[in-house]
Amino acid sequence: MAAESTKVIYAAIAANLGIAAIKFAAAGFTGSSAMISEGIHSVVDTGNGGLMLLGVHRSRKPADAEHPFGYGKELYFWSLLVAIFIFGVDGGFSFFEGVSRLLRPRPVSNPG
């Protein structure tokens, strides 16, 4: 069961890296700030997968004198950080991009 959990996380990391590359290529081709934001979102998702792997790894540590009940709850801590990054970093960057485009609008040059 544990090996399957990490396989899924590794697959998600690989998929998010591929998706990020495609989004950044689309952003370069179209000049779309929305695609840049989406590309950064996929990069953050990739980092979140790394944090999830860290949480899974650290939660498997055996109990010791300092943590007599083990480290199982550490998985929830790293999951919390993932949620904070998703909403904080992605939301913050999207907000920044939206405000910057409102303050410096550009005419649409190629709607296709």
Side-chain angles (χ1 to χ4, degrees):
M1 172 83 171
E4 289 180 18
S5 298
T6 56
K7 284 182 187 177
V8 171
I9 296 172
Y10 282 118
I13 289 172
N16 280 322
L17 280 175
I19 291 168
I22 291 168
K23 288 177 179 177
F24 283 127
F29 181 69
T30 64
S32 169
S33 64
M35 276 289 106
I36 294 171
S37 180
E38 283 297 315
I40 290 172
H41 173 90
S42 293
V43 170
V44 170
D45 283 345
T46 302
N48 289 340
L51 287 176
M52 292 300 294
L53 283 175
L54 179 64
V56 167
H57 172 73
R58 291 185 56 95
S59 70
R60 292 180 183 162
K61 289 172 47 177
D64 56 23
E66 191 172 331
H67 297 89
F69 297 110
Y71 291 82
K73 300 285 185 187
E74 198 160 330
L75 180 60
Y76 300 110
F77 169 75
W78 293 104
S79 297
L80 173 67
L81 283 185
V82 166
I84 290 170
F85 283 138
I86 286 173
F87 290 109
V89 175
D90 287 346
F93 186 77
S94 294
F95 179 79
F96 169 77
E97 277 293 312
V99 169
S100 69
R101 295 298 175 180
L102 287 173
L103 294 176
R104 293 186 311 268
R106 298 186 306 195
V108 176
S109 60
N110 183 2

